[in-house]
mmCIF file of all heavy atoms in Angstrom:
data_model
loop_
_atom_site.group_PDB
_atom_site.id
_atom_site.type_symbol
_atom_site.label_atom_id
_atom_site.label_comp_id
_atom_site.label_asym_id
_atom_site.label_seq_id
_atom_site.Cartn_x
_atom_site.Cartn_y
_atom_site.Cartn_z
ATOM 1 N N GLU X 138 3.707 8.831 17.124
ATOM 2 C CA GLU X 138 4.962 9.348 16.567
ATOM 3 C C GLU X 138 4.867 9.606 15.060
ATOM 4 O O GLU X 138 5.557 10.472 14.527
ATOM 5 C CB GLU X 138 6.103 8.364 16.872
ATOM 6 C CG GLU X 138 7.464 8.775 16.366
ATOM 7 C CD GLU X 138 7.992 10.051 16.984
ATOM 8 O OE1 GLU X 138 7.488 10.459 18.058
ATOM 9 O OE2 GLU X 138 8.920 10.648 16.403
ATOM 10 N N LEU X 139 3.989 8.869 14.386
ATOM 11 C CA LEU X 139 3.873 8.994 12.928
ATOM 12 C C LEU X 139 2.945 10.127 12.484
ATOM 13 O O LEU X 139 2.804 10.363 11.288
ATOM 14 C CB LEU X 139 3.372 7.667 12.342
ATOM 15 C CG LEU X 139 4.416 6.563 12.252
ATOM 16 C CD1 LEU X 139 3.764 5.204 12.008
ATOM 17 C CD2 LEU X 139 5.415 6.862 11.144
ATOM 18 N N ARG X 140 2.331 10.844 13.416
ATOM 19 C CA ARG X 140 1.444 11.946 13.040
ATOM 20 C C ARG X 140 2.191 13.002 12.244
ATOM 21 O O ARG X 140 3.227 13.503 12.662
ATOM 22 C CB ARG X 140 0.828 12.574 14.286
ATOM 23 C CG ARG X 140 -0.216 11.709 14.969
ATOM 24 C CD ARG X 140 -0.705 12.343 16.266
ATOM 25 N NE ARG X 140 -1.656 11.479 16.948
ATOM 26 C CZ ARG X 140 -2.098 11.682 18.188
ATOM 27 N NH1 ARG X 140 -1.643 12.736 18.876
ATOM 28 N NH2 ARG X 140 -2.967 10.850 18.735
ATOM 29 N N GLY X 141 1.667 13.312 11.078
ATOM 30 C CA GLY X 141 2.264 14.336 10.227
ATOM 31 C C GLY X 141 3.524 13.925 9.514
ATOM 32 O O GLY X 141 4.226 14.761 8.943
ATOM 33 N N LYS X 142 3.836 12.608 9.527
ATOM 34 C CA LYS X 142 5.073 12.130 8.911
ATOM 35 C C LYS X 142 4.782 11.058 7.868
ATOM 36 O O LYS X 142 3.875 10.242 8.044
ATOM 37 C CB LYS X 142 6.008 11.522 9.965
ATOM 38 C CG LYS X 142 6.513 12.491 11.021
ATOM 39 C CD LYS X 142 7.415 11.751 12.001
ATOM 40 C CE LYS X 142 7.981 12.660 13.068
ATOM 41 N NZ LYS X 142 8.845 11.923 14.013
ATOM 42 N N LYS X 143 5.578 11.046 6.823
ATOM 43 C CA LYS X 143 5.527 9.944 5.860
ATOM 44 C C LYS X 143 6.327 8.767 6.381
ATOM 45 O O LYS X 143 5.909 7.612 6.283
ATOM 46 C CB LYS X 143 6.082 10.389 4.499
ATOM 47 C CG LYS X 143 5.990 9.304 3.426
ATOM 48 C CD LYS X 143 6.455 9.820 2.084
ATOM 49 C CE LYS X 143 6.310 8.734 1.016
ATOM 50 N NZ LYS X 143 6.773 9.225 -0.321
ATOM 51 N N PHE X 144 7.506 9.081 6.917
ATOM 52 C CA PHE X 144 8.368 8.074 7.528
ATOM 53 C C PHE X 144 8.758 8.538 8.925
ATOM 54 O O PHE X 144 8.614 9.720 9.257
ATOM 55 C CB PHE X 144 9.631 7.851 6.684
ATOM 56 C CG PHE X 144 9.370 7.305 5.310
ATOM 57 C CD1 PHE X 144 9.487 8.107 4.183
ATOM 58 C CD2 PHE X 144 9.006 5.975 5.140
ATOM 59 C CE1 PHE X 144 9.250 7.602 2.922
ATOM 60 C CE2 PHE X 144 8.758 5.454 3.878
ATOM 61 C CZ PHE X 144 8.879 6.270 2.766
ATOM 62 N N LEU X 145 9.262 7.625 9.731
ATOM 63 C CA LEU X 145 9.740 8.012 11.055
ATOM 64 C C LEU X 145 10.886 9.012 10.942
ATOM 65 O O LEU X 145 11.074 9.845 11.811
ATOM 66 C CB LEU X 145 10.181 6.774 11.835
ATOM 67 C CG LEU X 145 9.044 5.890 12.340
ATOM 68 C CD1 LEU X 145 9.554 4.497 12.703
ATOM 69 C CD2 LEU X 145 8.356 6.530 13.540
ATOM 70 N N GLY X 146 11.646 8.903 9.849
ATOM 71 C CA GLY X 146 12.743 9.828 9.602
ATOM 72 C C GLY X 146 12.319 11.115 8.934
ATOM 73 O O GLY X 146 13.163 11.945 8.595
ATOM 74 N N GLY X 147 11.025 11.309 8.711
ATOM 75 C CA GLY X 147 10.525 12.507 8.038
ATOM 76 C C GLY X 147 9.986 12.175 6.663
ATOM 77 O O GLY X 147 9.126 11.322 6.509
ATOM 78 N N GLU X 148 10.530 12.818 5.647
ATOM 79 C CA GLU X 148 10.063 12.585 4.277
ATOM 80 C C GLU X 148 10.816 11.467 3.581
ATOM 81 O O GLU X 148 10.420 11.021 2.506
ATOM 82 C CB GLU X 148 10.180 13.881 3.459
ATOM 83 C CG GLU X 148 9.132 14.915 3.798
ATOM 84 C CD GLU X 148 7.715 14.382 3.632
ATOM 85 O OE1 GLU X 148 7.391 13.907 2.530
ATOM 86 O OE2 GLU X 148 6.943 14.436 4.602
ATOM 87 N N THR X 149 11.923 11.033 4.161
ATOM 88 C CA THR X 149 12.706 9.950 3.565
ATOM 89 C C THR X 149 12.965 8.861 4.597
ATOM 90 O O THR X 149 12.896 9.084 5.803
ATOM 91 C CB THR X 149 14.066 10.472 3.036
ATOM 92 O OG1 THR X 149 14.793 11.060 4.121
ATOM 93 C CG2 THR X 149 13.864 11.496 1.930
ATOM 94 N N VAL X 150 13.267 7.670 4.106
ATOM 95 C CA VAL X 150 13.559 6.530 4.968
ATOM 96 C C VAL X 150 14.826 6.810 5.776
ATOM 97 O O VAL X 150 15.844 7.255 5.239
ATOM 98 C CB VAL X 150 13.749 5.251 4.124
ATOM 99 C CG1 VAL X 150 14.336 4.125 4.951
ATOM 100 C CG2 VAL X 150 12.422 4.828 3.512
ATOM 101 N N GLY X 151 14.736 6.569 7.075
ATOM 102 C CA GLY X 151 15.886 6.789 7.942
ATOM 103 C C GLY X 151 16.167 5.600 8.843
ATOM 104 O O GLY X 151 15.597 4.510 8.675
ATOM 105 N N PHE X 152 17.014 5.814 9.807
ATOM 106 C CA PHE X 152 17.494 4.773 10.718
ATOM 107 C C PHE X 152 16.348 4.002 11.379
ATOM 108 O O PHE X 152 16.301 2.766 11.349
ATOM 109 C CB PHE X 152 18.379 5.436 11.778
ATOM 110 C CG PHE X 152 19.044 4.496 12.736
ATOM 111 C CD1 PHE X 152 20.286 3.936 12.444
ATOM 112 C CD2 PHE X 152 18.460 4.187 13.959
ATOM 113 C CE1 PHE X 152 20.918 3.086 13.341
ATOM 114 C CE2 PHE X 152 19.088 3.345 14.869
ATOM 115 C CZ PHE X 152 20.309 2.783 14.554
ATOM 116 N N ALA X 153 15.416 4.732 11.993
ATOM 117 C CA ALA X 153 14.323 4.074 12.700
ATOM 118 C C ALA X 153 13.428 3.295 11.746
ATOM 119 O O ALA X 153 12.952 2.203 12.073
ATOM 120 C CB ALA X 153 13.506 5.111 13.478
ATOM 121 N N ASP X 154 13.201 3.843 10.562
ATOM 122 C CA ASP X 154 12.380 3.135 9.567
ATOM 123 C C ASP X 154 12.994 1.791 9.203
ATOM 124 O O ASP X 154 12.277 0.783 9.070
ATOM 125 C CB ASP X 154 12.231 3.986 8.296
ATOM 126 C CG ASP X 154 11.544 5.307 8.564
ATOM 127 O OD1 ASP X 154 10.317 5.316 8.747
ATOM 128 O OD2 ASP X 154 12.247 6.334 8.597
ATOM 129 N N LEU X 155 14.297 1.770 9.035
ATOM 130 C CA LEU X 155 14.969 0.517 8.679
ATOM 131 C C LEU X 155 14.792 -0.531 9.771
ATOM 132 O O LEU X 155 14.635 -1.717 9.478
ATOM 133 C CB LEU X 155 16.457 0.762 8.436
ATOM 134 C CG LEU X 155 16.817 1.721 7.295
ATOM 135 C CD1 LEU X 155 18.333 1.838 7.166
ATOM 136 C CD2 LEU X 155 16.209 1.268 5.969
ATOM 137 N N THR X 156 14.784 -0.089 11.030
ATOM 138 C CA THR X 156 14.667 -1.061 12.121
ATOM 139 C C THR X 156 13.249 -1.592 12.258
ATOM 140 O O THR X 156 13.051 -2.705 12.734
ATOM 141 C CB THR X 156 15.120 -0.440 13.459
ATOM 142 O OG1 THR X 156 14.251 0.629 13.833
ATOM 143 C CG2 THR X 156 16.548 0.073 13.358
ATOM 144 N N PHE X 157 12.258 -0.805 11.842
ATOM 145 C CA PHE X 157 10.866 -1.250 11.889
ATOM 146 C C PHE X 157 10.403 -1.881 10.575
ATOM 147 O O PHE X 157 9.259 -2.316 10.466
ATOM 148 C CB PHE X 157 9.937 -0.070 12.200
ATOM 149 C CG PHE X 157 9.817 0.258 13.663
ATOM 150 C CD1 PHE X 157 10.495 1.335 14.197
ATOM 151 C CD2 PHE X 157 9.022 -0.508 14.498
ATOM 152 C CE1 PHE X 157 10.393 1.652 15.541
ATOM 153 C CE2 PHE X 157 8.910 -0.212 15.843
ATOM 154 C CZ PHE X 157 9.594 0.875 16.373
ATOM 155 N N GLY X 158 11.293 -1.938 9.595
ATOM 156 C CA GLY X 158 10.892 -2.384 8.263
ATOM 157 C C GLY X 158 10.279 -3.772 8.217
ATOM 158 O O GLY X 158 9.452 -4.066 7.349
ATOM 159 N N TRP X 159 10.665 -4.648 9.158
ATOM 160 C CA TRP X 159 10.122 -6.008 9.182
ATOM 161 C C TRP X 159 8.599 -6.014 9.305
ATOM 162 O O TRP X 159 7.930 -6.950 8.838
ATOM 163 C CB TRP X 159 10.741 -6.788 10.347
ATOM 164 C CG TRP X 159 10.435 -6.217 11.697
ATOM 165 C CD1 TRP X 159 11.124 -5.243 12.345
ATOM 166 C CD2 TRP X 159 9.344 -6.562 12.541
ATOM 167 N NE1 TRP X 159 10.542 -4.957 13.556
ATOM 168 C CE2 TRP X 159 9.446 -5.762 13.707
ATOM 169 C CE3 TRP X 159 8.296 -7.482 12.440
ATOM 170 C CZ2 TRP X 159 8.528 -5.841 14.751
ATOM 171 C CZ3 TRP X 159 7.382 -7.567 13.483
ATOM 172 C CH2 TRP X 159 7.505 -6.753 14.621
ATOM 173 N N LEU X 160 8.037 -4.973 9.946
ATOM 174 C CA LEU X 160 6.587 -4.897 10.080
ATOM 175 C C LEU X 160 5.893 -4.891 8.718
ATOM 176 O O LEU X 160 4.798 -5.446 8.573
ATOM 177 C CB LEU X 160 6.195 -3.613 10.832
ATOM 178 C CG LEU X 160 6.391 -3.558 12.342
ATOM 179 C CD1 LEU X 160 6.190 -2.130 12.837
ATOM 180 C CD2 LEU X 160 5.432 -4.501 13.051
ATOM 181 N N ALA X 161 6.531 -4.262 7.738
ATOM 182 C CA ALA X 161 5.884 -4.030 6.449
ATOM 183 C C ALA X 161 5.544 -5.317 5.699
ATOM 184 O O ALA X 161 4.583 -5.356 4.938
ATOM 185 C CB ALA X 161 6.769 -3.129 5.574
ATOM 186 N N ASN X 162 6.338 -6.371 5.901
ATOM 187 C CA ASN X 162 6.000 -7.614 5.197
ATOM 188 C C ASN X 162 5.668 -8.766 6.121
ATOM 189 O O ASN X 162 4.793 -9.576 5.832
ATOM 190 C CB ASN X 162 7.119 -8.015 4.229
ATOM 191 C CG ASN X 162 8.332 -8.588 4.917
ATOM 192 O OD1 ASN X 162 8.758 -8.091 5.941
ATOM 193 N ND2 ASN X 162 8.917 -9.628 4.351
ATOM 194 N N LEU X 163 6.307 -8.849 7.284
ATOM 195 C CA LEU X 163 6.093 -10.027 8.119
ATOM 196 C C LEU X 163 4.763 -10.010 8.854
ATOM 197 O O LEU X 163 4.192 -11.065 9.141
ATOM 198 C CB LEU X 163 7.237 -10.186 9.121
ATOM 199 C CG LEU X 163 8.547 -10.743 8.553
ATOM 200 C CD1 LEU X 163 9.549 -10.987 9.667
ATOM 201 C CD2 LEU X 163 8.312 -12.030 7.773
ATOM 202 N N VAL X 164 4.237 -8.833 9.166
ATOM 203 C CA VAL X 164 2.951 -8.786 9.858
ATOM 204 C C VAL X 164 1.860 -9.470 9.042
ATOM 205 O O VAL X 164 1.104 -10.304 9.554
ATOM 206 C CB VAL X 164 2.558 -7.332 10.197
ATOM 207 C CG1 VAL X 164 1.066 -7.227 10.509
ATOM 208 C CG2 VAL X 164 3.357 -6.839 11.393
ATOM 209 N N SER X 165 1.779 -9.145 7.761
ATOM 210 C CA SER X 165 0.743 -9.764 6.931
ATOM 211 C C SER X 165 0.990 -11.259 6.749
ATOM 212 O O SER X 165 0.038 -12.055 6.659
ATOM 213 C CB SER X 165 0.649 -9.072 5.570
ATOM 214 O OG SER X 165 1.846 -9.251 4.824
ATOM 215 N N VAL X 166 2.247 -11.655 6.705
ATOM 216 C CA VAL X 166 2.595 -13.079 6.622
ATOM 217 C C VAL X 166 2.128 -13.801 7.891
ATOM 218 O O VAL X 166 1.482 -14.847 7.846
ATOM 219 C CB VAL X 166 4.106 -13.269 6.408
ATOM 220 C CG1 VAL X 166 4.519 -14.724 6.611
ATOM 221 C CG2 VAL X 166 4.506 -12.807 5.012
ATOM 222 N N PHE X 167 2.450 -13.222 9.044
ATOM 223 C CA PHE X 167 2.048 -13.807 10.332
ATOM 224 C C PHE X 167 0.528 -13.867 10.458
ATOM 225 O O PHE X 167 -0.027 -14.845 10.973
ATOM 226 C CB PHE X 167 2.639 -13.010 11.489
ATOM 227 C CG PHE X 167 4.137 -13.108 11.627
ATOM 228 C CD1 PHE X 167 4.815 -12.289 12.518
ATOM 229 C CD2 PHE X 167 4.869 -14.007 10.880
ATOM 230 C CE1 PHE X 167 6.197 -12.380 12.672
ATOM 231 C CE2 PHE X 167 6.256 -14.108 11.009
ATOM 232 C CZ PHE X 167 6.914 -13.277 11.908
ATOM 233 N N GLU X 168 -0.133 -12.807 10.023
ATOM 234 C CA GLU X 168 -1.599 -12.761 10.102
ATOM 235 C C GLU X 168 -2.232 -13.872 9.266
ATOM 236 O O GLU X 168 -3.190 -14.531 9.704
ATOM 237 C CB GLU X 168 -2.109 -11.395 9.653
ATOM 238 C CG GLU X 168 -1.842 -10.283 10.647
ATOM 239 C CD GLU X 168 -2.317 -8.932 10.171
ATOM 240 O OE1 GLU X 168 -2.442 -8.729 8.937
ATOM 241 O OE2 GLU X 168 -2.568 -8.052 11.027
ATOM 242 N N GLU X 169 -1.709 -14.068 8.072
ATOM 243 C CA GLU X 169 -2.267 -15.105 7.207
ATOM 244 C C GLU X 169 -2.064 -16.500 7.799
ATOM 245 O O GLU X 169 -2.961 -17.340 7.747
ATOM 246 C CB GLU X 169 -1.622 -15.031 5.825
ATOM 247 C CG GLU X 169 -2.174 -16.075 4.846
ATOM 248 C CD GLU X 169 -1.684 -15.893 3.418
ATOM 249 O OE1 GLU X 169 -1.331 -14.749 3.047
ATOM 250 O OE2 GLU X 169 -1.657 -16.886 2.672
ATOM 251 N N ILE X 170 -0.909 -16.735 8.375
ATOM 252 C CA ILE X 170 -0.600 -18.059 8.926
ATOM 253 C C ILE X 170 -1.401 -18.329 10.205
ATOM 254 O O ILE X 170 -2.002 -19.393 10.372
ATOM 255 C CB ILE X 170 0.905 -18.182 9.229
ATOM 256 C CG1 ILE X 170 1.715 -18.123 7.932
ATOM 257 C CG2 ILE X 170 1.203 -19.495 9.969
ATOM 258 C CD1 ILE X 170 3.202 -17.948 8.153
ATOM 259 N N ALA X 171 -1.415 -17.336 11.115
ATOM 260 C CA ALA X 171 -2.037 -17.538 12.424
ATOM 261 C C ALA X 171 -3.538 -17.275 12.425
ATOM 262 O O ALA X 171 -4.226 -17.638 13.382
ATOM 263 C CB ALA X 171 -1.355 -16.644 13.459
#
Side-chain angles (χ1 to χ4, degrees):
E138 181 63 18
L139 283 165
R140 288 175 183 170
K142 296 180 179 180
K143 183 176 182 180
F144 296 106
L145 287 162
E148 286 303 305
T149 59
V150 168
F152 185 88
D154 299 285
L155 299 181
T156 64
F157 277 103
W159 62 273
L160 284 169
N162 75 318
L163 284 186
V164 162
S165 65
V166 168
F167 292 171
E168 288 178 336
E169 181 172 335
I170 295 168

